[in-house]
Amino acid sequence: MRELSLDPAGLRGDCANCFGLCCVALPFAKSADFPVDKRAGTPCRNLRDDHRCGIHDRLRERGWSGCTVYDCFGAGQRVSQATFGGEDWRTGSAEHARRMFDVFPAVRQLHELLWYLTQALTLPAARPVHADLRRLLRATEDLAAGTPDELSALDVGPHRQQVGELLLRASELTRAGLRGRRKDRRGADLMGARLKGADLRGISLRGTYLIAADLTGADLRGADLLGADLRDADLTDADLTDALFLTQPQVNAARGSAGTGLPGSLERPAHWDAKE
């Protein structure tokens, strides 16, 4: 039986080994994040023939901030190089391209689940469910390694629900022993909330709307942030070093500073250093 890697670095987008799938397969609408509409399966006008972005270093200033937030969790290179054996959608048949674009979102969902499961296995307090986490990690990896036909027919929803229930148990076990634990704010509407300097240690903020919330200097150590919407939230000098299930796209969507504490598995976005 093959060993599964628990290295989160393998669950990040590697554009050099991808055929620009996120720039083609996914749709977007004209908004604050994108200056134009694009249909699914249509190449972005900024995508070059070598599958690289023609304005990569100017995306935010040109109105393409949505691109700087997105991360495929490593699904792009997997679909490009493993699922379809390195056959480019540009050179294959129209049916080949369509199947590649159909499969990519499913693998992206599975890779996101791999990220969460990998993170849960680093939590010492969640040891009672580590065996179940490893079982679901392997099952998720097996699904992601499926053939194009298998992935095209896959309904990720039931598997995501199963993983979500186990991640919730891992979160509860971890947060139970934290000082300063507060009530469950799961799914709450905290858009624009004034939470400057708030003690949010160990709180559940799963699926919470924190759009444009002021979290300056807030203590979010041990907070469960799975699925929390952090778009334009101000994380200046906030402490998220031990936040649970925080992802790179969430961090990318927020605002922060050199004083923002992040988990070691995440990178501080380059645009945090630049003036918008």
Side-chain angles (χ1 to χ4, degrees):
M1 183 178 291
R2 68 183 184 282
E3 291 294 323
L4 294 179
S5 172
L6 298 182
D7 182 3
L11 294 171
R12 292 177 182 162
D14 178 5
C15 297
N17 286 298
C18 176
F19 297 138
L21 294 182
C22 65
C23 305
V24 188
L26 306 180
F28 52 73
K30 185 176 181 179
S31 63
D33 297 321
F34 299 100
V36 297
D37 295 322
K38 190 188 83 66
R39 294 180 299 175
T42 302
C44 173
R45 68 187 189 186
N46 299 315
L47 186 65
R48 304 185 314 205
D49 289 343
D50 63 357
H51 302 297
R52 306 309 289 269
C53 176
I55 61 167
H56 179 72
D57 58 346
R58 293 164 286 148
L59 283 166
R60 297 185 73 85
E61 66 185 70
R62 297 283 289 272
W64 298 81
S65 61
C67 297
T68 68
V69 171
Y70 182 82
D71 188 274
C72 71
F73 294 96
Q77 63 262 29
R78 180 174 208 149
V79 172
S80 297
Q81 304 301 331
T83 312
F84 287 88
E87 185 177 356
D88 190 343
W89 58 268
R90 292 185 190 271
T91 57
S93 66
E95 175 62 16
H96 166 80
R98 185 192 65 77
R99 293 178 73 208
M100 184 176 283
F101 301 154
D102 287 346
V103 162
F104 173 65
V107 178
R108 197 269 184 187
Q109 289 189 65
L110 292 169
H111 271 229
E112 182 179 7
L113 296 180
L114 289 173
W115 172 273
Y116 290 138
L117 290 164
T118 298
Q119 293 299 300
L121 281 165
T122 68
L123 304 174
R127 190 171 301 279
V129 295
H130 275 194
D132 289 331
L133 288 167
R134 288 184 180 278
R135 174 180 56 80
L136 277 184
L137 181 70
R138 185 168 297 282
T140 306
E141 169 62 25
D142 288 343
L143 289 174
T147 67
D149 286 342
E150 291 170 338
L151 288 164
S152 294
L154 179 64
D155 179 3
V156 181
H159 185 71
R160 176 180 283 276
Q161 182 175 354
Q162 186 180 13
V163 171
E165 292 171 355
L166 190 56
L167 294 177
L168 178 60
R169 180 59 180 149
S171 172
E172 291 172 341
L173 287 168
T174 300
R175 293 183 295 110
L178 296 178
R179 293 180 58 189
R181 190 181 184 195
R182 302 294 187 269
K183 65 180 181 179
D184 192 332
R185 298 306 305 272
R186 184 177 182 179
D189 185 349
L190 296 177
M191 291 190 291
R194 299 176 180 178
L195 298 168
K196 183 176 182 178
D199 182 356
L200 301 173
R201 288 174 295 171
I203 191 172
S204 176
L205 293 168
R206 284 188 161 218
T208 299
Y209 295 97
L210 288 162
I211 301 170
D214 183 3
L215 290 161
T216 303
D219 190 343
L220 287 150
R221 289 175 294 172
D224 186 340
L225 291 169
L226 194 151
D229 193 335
L230 294 173
R231 284 178 292 169
D232 206 33
D234 192 348
L235 300 178
T236 299
D237 296 334
D239 190 349
L240 299 94
T241 50
D242 295 317
L244 306 181
F245 307 128
L246 183 66
T247 66
Q248 193 67 53
Q250 286 174 298
V251 172
N252 292 346
R255 292 178 288 130
S257 68
T260 302
L262 293 174
S265 59
L266 302 180
E267 298 178 352
R268 191 155 56 96
H271 63 265
W272 282 10
D273 295 323
K275 294 182 178 180
E276 299 290 337

